[in-house]
Amino acid sequence: MTVPTFADARTALQQHETSCTALVSSFLDAIHARNEALNAFVAVHDENALAQAQAVDVALAEGTDLPLAGMVMGLKDVLCVKGEQVACASRILQGFESLFDATAIRRLRDAGAVFVGTTNCDEFAMGSSNENSVYGPARNPANLDYVTGGSSGGSAAAVAAGLCHTSLGSDTGGSVRQPAAFCGTVGLKPTYGRVSRYGLVAYASSCDVIGPFGHTVSDVADVLQVIAGHDPSDATSANVPVPNYRAALSESVAGLKIGLPDEYFGDGLDADIRAAIDEQVKRLEAAGASVQRVSLPHTSYGIATYYIITTAEASSNLARYDGIRYGYRADLATIRNDLATERRTLQEGIAEADAHGNALVAEALEKQLAQQDSVLRRLYTDTRTQGFGAEVKRRIMLGTYVLSSGYYDAYYAKAQRVRRLIKQDYDRAFAQVDVLITPATPTPAFKIGSIVDDPLTMYLNDIYTVTANLAGVPGLVVPIGTHPAGLPMGLQLLGPHFGEERLLTVGQQVMQG
Ligand code: GLN
């Protein structure tokens, strides 16, 4: 399948062979024809997109320079777009409309990109398969019975299927890179702090980062160029100059030092993925890069550390969904009714116990009556019970547990110390080599429904992606062909903080062969 790239669209636009409006219309047609099967978009904004496209055409006619004119994008349902619903694929945020644009969105809009719709994902970005979504799973364009990966599954599938040029996802533990690998697209997780998080709904704030998907490294570099940079609205955004990412694409890999971490090539890695990576490493060597083995000795603690730190942060971040301020609210009349019925039942029980002279029972029931929930308390409980899905509840409970006073030192504080060791592993590796090459995932995509009831197996799949978030380093996934099972495979490049340029250079070389 040949898929449309932004680079082609830009050329066609510059040569007046098309207009932004025509480009957007043709993508909208493709979405309406194919999205029902893929479930990649959960909302399509035809009117807004066409209005945005017309404005871009007018601006171009007036001679305005818009670096992303002609780019058609999908946006993950965790990014705030003014006037549009952002629901994080959750029941609890149904009906919530953002009052402002995320900084990344504002920058893209100002650069001429057009947003055609909202893409599917796991609820609050928690998951590795896009199956934890109130909208149902997105489907892998390579085989509709298989998952897209997650959590940014819809963003990956939309790009892979040619329903938009590029899309944005978010990556807290692999949510851009793993679906990119499963769907066969390019996916970038920038350095923590490289892209403003303002307007990205928080999952685990110390790991969250917005990242782009595209068909080519060049399209992804163009998005990064616009969204990267300091933002006073996000105190964790880095005040580090933004280089020219496009220039990195034509750099040579000759003389670059590439490291292969031993811990990423052990048991559990699919043999065909391994062979495909070996093949790419040989080609990079032939192009003049040198290759050596390195060690990231704390890798095996990555999953445990990640699932302690991120659930702790999630339990705090998600406390704000209480049914008072945002989105879904449990039905108040039902709550009042339920409480009245409970009260009556207790009062009747007390009267009966008194009549039988059963003082102990009467006392116990009196106590229950005195402790009955207030309407407000029941509103919180019911809203959250009904509004959150099973995985989100599991993580809120895990996170609350690891932060509770008796267990804080054993879990949360210890995980923070291990996080430091994981970061030091990377520091040491990047003192020896420029870039690391690893698999993105241990296996290709799995069947929808096959491990959804087994959270531990699902978590273990994140082994190659979570440590980059714990350390804050950037990661780029590029497609490296098709597995004998007929599904895409991906290769991951990891670099030091703010080392995106090198990743783009090597990624470009891998894709151009
Ligand atoms: N799959 C990981 C998880 O379930 C990563 C999610 C993410 O990066 N948002 O948490």
Side-chain angles (χ1 to χ4, degrees):
M1 185 172 63
T2 51
V3 280
T5 67
F6 166 60
D8 291 341
R10 174 168 43 203
T11 310
L13 208 54
Q14 277 163 357
Q15 294 175 351
H16 304 286
E17 288 163 7
T18 187
S19 65
C20 188
T21 310
L23 284 165
V24 169
S25 304
S26 76
F27 276 104
L28 288 172
D29 289 347
I31 294 172
H32 291 301
R34 300 196 49 213
N35 190 55
E36 204 178 316
L38 291 165
N39 201 22
F41 282 94
V42 297
V44 185
H45 307 306
D46 299 64
E47 264 178 45
N48 277 355
L50 286 168
Q52 237 184 308
Q54 274 155 14
V56 170
D57 283 328
V58 170
L60 288 178
E62 287 167 352
T64 315
D65 180 29
L66 295 173
L68 297 187
M71 181 178 280
V72 179
M73 298 191 79
L75 302 175
K76 183 177 181 179
D77 193 21
V78 293
L79 291 157
C80 290
V81 181
K82 189 173 177 179
E84 272 161 25
Q85 172 170 290
V86 48
C88 302
S90 180
R91 185 173 184 202
I92 212 157
L93 275 175
Q94 293 301 311
F96 171 70
E97 270 183 19
S98 177
L99 298 172
F100 67 100
D101 273 342
T103 299
I105 303 300
R106 180 175 49 74
R107 289 183 179 175
L108 290 165
R109 201 194 284 285
D110 291 348
V114 172
F115 313 125
V116 279
T118 310
T119 53
N120 204 350
C121 58
D122 284 298
E123 187 177 2
F124 284 99
M126 297 177 188
S128 310
S129 65
N130 206 139
E131 293 170 291
N132 306 329
S133 165
V134 75
Y135 306 109
R139 292 174 179 274
N140 194 315
N143 184 332
L144 297 179
D145 292 333
Y146 283 73
V147 300
T148 52
S151 64
S152 316
S155 299
V159 168
L163 305 186
C164 48
H165 290 127
T166 61
S167 59
L168 287 188
S170 61
D171 191 313
T172 305
S175 276
V176 167
R177 291 162 289 152
Q178 185 252 24
F182 277 8
C183 293
T185 72
V186 179
L188 173 71
K189 171 225 174 293
T191 305
Y192 181 78
R194 177 72 294 184
V195 177
S196 169
R197 290 185 294 113
Y198 183 67
L200 165 66
V201 178
Y203 156 22
S205 312
S206 76
C207 293
D208 294 343
V209 59
I210 294 173
F213 293 87
H215 297 296
T216 61
V217 177
S218 146
D219 283 3
V220 160
D222 285 339
V223 176
L224 179 65
Q225 194 72 52
V226 169
I227 62 176
H230 181 244
D231 174 16
S233 302
D234 171 6
T236 62
S237 89
N239 207 345
V240 173
V242 178
N244 182 345
Y245 292 117
R246 178 166 278 280
L249 302 178
S250 42
E251 293 287 318
S252 162
V253 298
L256 275 190
K257 290 193 206 134
I258 292 173
L260 301 177
D262 285 339
E263 294 77 6
Y264 283 64
F265 291 90
D267 287 348
L269 173 59
D270 178 275
D272 291 292
I273 295 183
R274 180 173 187 144
I277 291 175
D278 286 348
E279 170 74 28
Q280 294 299 335
V281 170
K282 282 200 198 98
R283 288 164 65 183
L284 288 167
E285 259 183 314
S290 68
V291 177
Q292 68 187 79
R293 286 170 57 181
V294 294
S295 178
L296 299 169
H298 297 93
T299 302
S300 62
Y301 302 108
I303 297 282
T305 307
Y306 169 82
Y307 278 96
I308 290 170
I309 289 174
T310 57
T311 58
E313 293 183 19
S315 73
S316 160
N317 275 328
L318 273 61
R320 72 189 69 168
Y321 305 107
D322 54 11
I324 307 295
R325 288 166 291 183
Y326 311 101
Y328 179 78
R329 176 179 295 171
D331 185 49
L332 264 176
T334 310
I335 289 172
R336 291 213 174 89
N337 235 335
D338 287 354
L339 287 171
T341 311
E342 281 170 31
R343 207 174 310 123
R344 254 197 320 277
T345 312
L346 287 170
Q347 281 162 347
E348 282 164 16
I350 294 164
E352 203 182 313
D354 281 345
H356 290 89
N358 202 337
L360 271 179
V361 172
E363 200 180 312
L365 295 177
E366 293 274 7
K367 206 167 157 195
Q368 275 187 44
L369 190 61
Q371 289 175 347
Q372 203 197 17
D373 279 348
S374 64
V375 173
L376 186 61
R377 196 185 157 87
R378 186 63 66 89
L379 181 68
Y380 291 151
T381 316
D382 285 5
T383 296
R384 289 166 68 82
T385 304
Q386 296 160 17
F388 288 132
E391 181 61 27
V392 173
K393 284 182 198 154
R394 186 178 296 128
R395 295 196 191 195
I396 291 173
M397 287 189 281
L398 270 172
T400 307
Y401 178 80
V402 300
L403 286 175
S404 58
S405 62
Y407 297 97
Y408 184 94
D409 287 336
Y411 294 106
Y412 184 74
K414 196 180 213 171
Q416 291 291 15
R417 289 197 290 275
V418 179
R419 181 179 197 169
R420 167 64 53 117
L421 296 174
I422 288 170
K423 183 178 171 295
Q424 285 169 355
D425 281 358
Y426 279 110
D427 292 344
R428 288 199 188 100
F430 291 126
Q432 293 171 266
V433 296
D434 300 304
V435 171
L436 297 171
I437 287 187
T438 80
T441 57
T443 64
F446 41 89
K447 263 203 163 143
I448 292 175
S450 62
I451 54 172
V452 72
D453 297 324
D454 182 357
L456 191 58
T457 302
M458 193 72 93
Y459 297 173
L460 291 173
N461 276 313
D462 297 335
I463 178 79
Y464 301 141
T465 50
V466 293
T467 53
N469 300 76
L470 293 169
V473 300
L476 177 71
V477 164
V478 290
I480 49 165
T482 306
H483 190 270
L487 296 158
M489 300 183 288
L491 172 150
Q492 176 174 237
L493 298 158
L494 297 170
H497 294 106
F498 302 99
E500 283 83 357
E501 288 164 282
R502 285 274 163 73
L503 303 186
L504 297 169
T505 301
V506 181
Q508 176 77 345
Q509 175 76 33
V510 169
M511 283 193 76
Q512 290 187 335

